[in-house]
Amino acid sequence: GEDVKPFTPEKTKEIVMSLQQPAVFCNMAGDWPALHWNVKYLSAVLEGKTIQFRLGLKTVDLVPQFETSCSYVEATLEEFLAWSCGQPSCLSGPFSCYDYSKYWAYADYKYIARIFEDKPEIFQDVRWSDFGFPGRSGKESTLWIGSEGANTPCHLDSYGCNLVLQVQGRKRWHLFPPGDTSFLYPTRIPYEESSIFSKVNIANPDLKRFPEFRNSTVHVVTLSPGQVLLVPRHWWHYVESIDPVTVSINSWIELDADHEARVEEAITRMLVCAIKSAENPSDGDLWLNPTEVEATSHEINLQYLNKAVSAYLKCQETSVSGQACSSSTGAKQRTNASCKRKRREVGCEPESCTLRAQECDFPTPEAEELQKIPFGPHLIQVLPQSHQTSMMGAVAVESGGGDLLHENEGEHFGKLHCKRKRLLMSSDCETAAHQMDSDCSPCTSQTALSTNDLLDCLVNPCVISLVAQLLLERMRV
């Protein structure tokens, strides 16, 4: 008979919209054709098409290995698979300069709509309609392919919440709640719209420089094939591939609260671009993340800010006319969103502001609300852990949704990489894949403040949030 899922699409969507802590859905994607998307299968589908891989060192330092410090190569999935298996054929290929025992490789944040643009029928292999989002498929999803150790620094996404399907191999997730932001020492250098990085290397924290990190509460889970992880809005995450080859598919579900977040991002962009462009370019400060094309002009940034403010006010007007529901406090779902970074095309279509007016009814779940969530073998809470156990162990959820297991391994998370030009990428082999931003190295003088020190204060999320509120209040007068 037809596979019966533990939750209806309507119930699943209600959980996704109301749950403000990470959780793992089991037995919801077992019949998805996308579960067959292992690297060997994808290699055959792509027929020799090359994609970009980010390479980093497996050695763990006290500072995060930002994307600005990585190397990049263009390779086929066949070449990646040979390299990850240690085959001699890779000695002359694009990975020939990178010893598999020393490096990891990550084809991260690949838009499925782009890499399979000539095979649109494959989009239907991803069925987010089972989660209550009809019409959402692989076209609105991204693909992540990595080797053991592949990771990105701990960060939070400014926009949306995240649904992640594990397809091949396992990934270890470390998640921190939004309330721990100050303990994670947020920074906007390297700058990337919609991503706020942590200065702390979660895998090897420097507690002398970042003593408040001790006060953070980490939630750790190992995601296995067939499981879907819900990452709620503004949860920090650091993820690492713990098997030789991993494949994941995710989709960011935009929220009406993103309208205010876009105003904050526009303010941040104006400040960062204005101040960094005033510096001497020869200083060599790699402040712009490789996923950003260029430092946009003040005029363009101002246009972006005005569009973001207009979209926010338009959505507020529509929301108030339907139901008095503030987007600054609710996590209200938009279902017609595509990718996480909707960048400067922020015009708010009227239907996107009104289509989920009824979803404002869902309150933020406190203790009594959590009791209404149907936790059990098909929906597993990702619970907090003590730092003593979190750095060495994690909760693994059985594929069948059974008991929780404890095992001794470590963790991280993937980031983005659109099909964009890179700012640095040395062509030399074994180049300084571990060169860090000046912002990350210990300060040589207690009195010498840098531009980045000033920016860290100016664009601190708490400061930007206050500025955005003042600016929007000015527009209402």
Side-chain angles (χ1 to χ4, degrees):
E2 189 174 341
D3 183 33
V4 178
K5 300 184 185 301
F7 307 112
T8 64
E10 295 75 20
K11 183 60 180 179
T12 309
K13 184 175 182 180
E14 179 183 335
I15 294 170
V16 170
M17 290 169 52
S18 62
L19 189 56
Q20 296 303 303
Q21 69 176 59
V24 175
F25 288 92
C26 301
N27 306 312
M28 285 294 295
D31 60 344
W32 290 18
L35 280 185
H36 301 294
W37 286 19
N38 56 41
V39 174
K40 188 175 181 180
Y41 171 81
L42 293 173
S43 176
V45 173
L46 288 173
E47 300 175 326
K49 184 177 182 179
T50 62
I51 57 178
Q52 188 181 74
F53 287 85
R54 177 166 59 92
L55 293 110
L57 287 169
K58 289 184 176 181
T59 54
V60 180
D61 203 345
L62 285 173
V63 292
Q65 195 167 174
F66 288 113
E67 291 170 67
T68 50
S69 67
C70 292
S71 300
Y72 294 78
V73 300
E74 295 282 338
T76 65
L77 287 184
E78 186 178 12
E79 290 168 329
F80 165 74
L81 201 55
W83 175 76
S84 64
C85 295
Q87 295 180 12
S89 59
C90 65
L91 296 178
S92 59
F95 293 102
S96 60
C97 295
Y98 304 95
D99 186 340
Y100 177 75
S101 66
K102 297 179 181 178
Y103 285 88
W104 48 257
Y106 209 3
D108 50 356
Y109 203 82
K110 303 303 180 189
Y111 287 109
I112 291 175
R114 292 182 182 177
I115 61 177
F116 297 109
E117 58 186 352
D118 57 338
K119 295 179 174 64
E121 64 278 2
I122 202 172
F123 300 160
Q124 303 310 313
D125 287 4
V126 183
R127 301 173 178 175
W128 296 115
S129 56
D130 286 344
F131 282 76
F133 303 101
R136 182 177 290 265
S137 65
K139 187 177 182 181
E140 296 82 23
S141 305
T142 49
L143 183 66
W144 310 72
I145 303 171
S147 66
E148 183 178 0
N151 67 85
T152 46
C154 182
H155 68 283
L156 70 78
D157 303 322
S158 302
Y159 308 143
C161 66
N162 193 3
L163 289 172
V164 186
L165 169 68
Q166 193 63 26
V167 176
Q168 180 179 4
R170 296 168 301 154
K171 280 186 173 179
R172 177 71 42 74
W173 287 72
H174 281 65
L175 301 117
F176 300 85
D180 281 4
T181 292
S182 63
F183 304 146
L184 290 161
Y185 298 83
T187 182
R188 297 311 300 261
I189 303 296
Y191 172 75
E192 172 185 290
E193 182 186 340
S194 80
S195 294
I196 302 175
F197 292 102
S198 169
K199 291 183 180 181
V200 182
N201 185 350
I202 306 302
N204 188 27
D206 186 347
L207 296 179
K208 290 184 178 179
R209 288 190 67 199
F210 310 115
E212 290 297 311
F213 179 69
R214 292 187 180 93
N215 298 322
S216 64
T217 302
V218 63
H219 300 236
V220 187
V221 66
T222 299
L223 201 65
S224 297
Q227 297 170 346
V228 175
L229 174 66
L230 165 65
V231 182
R233 182 175 187 259
H234 287 180
W235 273 72
W236 293 83
H237 45 280
Y238 171 81
V239 190
E240 181 182 37
S241 297
I242 60 174
D243 282 330
V245 175
T246 63
V247 176
S248 306
I249 298 170
N250 86 293
S251 190
W252 277 277
I253 311 298
E254 285 197 358
L255 311 170
D256 280 348
D258 294 346
H259 289 295
E260 185 168 341
R262 285 199 177 88
V263 175
E264 296 176 1
E265 286 295 299
I267 295 169
T268 301
R269 190 178 191 90
M270 286 192 73
L271 288 172
V272 173
C273 289
I275 291 178
K276 296 303 292 185
S277 62
E279 281 190 323
N280 188 342
S282 63
D283 290 345
D285 181 13
L286 301 174
W287 65 274
L288 197 64
N289 216 42
T291 48
E292 290 288 332
V293 177
E294 60 185 355
T296 44
S297 68
H298 182 78
E299 181 181 6
I300 291 176
N301 291 336
L302 185 60
Q303 292 175 3
Y304 183 33
L305 175 61
N306 277 287
K307 288 181 179 179
V309 170
S310 297
Y312 170 85
L313 294 176
K314 184 186 296 183
C315 201
Q316 282 291 96
E317 291 172 3
T318 308
S319 179
V320 169
S321 65
Q323 292 190 28
C325 183
S326 172
S327 67
S328 63
T329 57
K332 300 164 294 182
Q333 205 76 29
R334 291 176 60 196
T335 61
N336 66 336
S338 54
C339 302
K340 171 182 170 231
R341 297 182 179 180
K342 290 305 284 183
R343 302 209 165 283
R344 281 155 290 284
E345 62 273 14
V346 295
C348 174
E349 309 85 9
E351 64 270 21
S352 69
C353 298
T354 60
L355 61 88
R356 296 297 161 210
Q358 69 274 20
E359 294 171 0
C360 297
D361 291 334
F362 295 114
T364 301
E366 302 297 341
E368 64 276 10
E369 290 296 327
L370 282 175
Q371 294 178 3
K372 301 177 183 178
I373 301 295
F375 293 119
H378 305 294
L379 181 65
I380 310 296
Q381 295 185 72
V382 180
L383 298 172
Q385 293 188 358
S386 67
H387 280 285
Q388 286 75 15
T389 60
S390 66
M391 288 300 106
M392 292 301 296
V395 174
V397 184
E398 287 187 345
S399 298
D403 296 333
L404 299 183
L405 305 177
H406 292 271
E407 55 189 69
N408 293 322
E409 289 167 27
E411 190 235 327
H412 295 54
F413 170 47
K415 189 140 181 42
L416 344 101
H417 207 12
C418 305
K419 189 178 178 183
R420 298 178 183 157
K421 67 179 182 182
R422 308 177 304 280
L423 296 184
L424 78 111
M425 309 329 154
S426 169
S427 58
D428 298 331
C429 295
E430 303 282 352
T431 36
H434 222 45
Q435 290 177 343
M436 306 311 300
D437 296 2
S438 58
D439 173 66
C440 303
S441 56
C443 199
T444 56
S445 169
Q446 294 296 325
T447 58
L449 292 174
S450 67
T451 303
N452 289 350
D453 292 324
L454 174 62
L455 269 177
D456 271 342
C457 297
L458 285 177
V459 297
N460 182 284
C462 295
V463 176
I464 292 297
S465 178
L466 177 60
V467 173
Q469 291 174 35
L470 292 172
L471 192 64
L472 291 170
E473 195 62 41
R474 178 184 296 260
M475 293 299 294
R476 295 190 188 100
V477 175

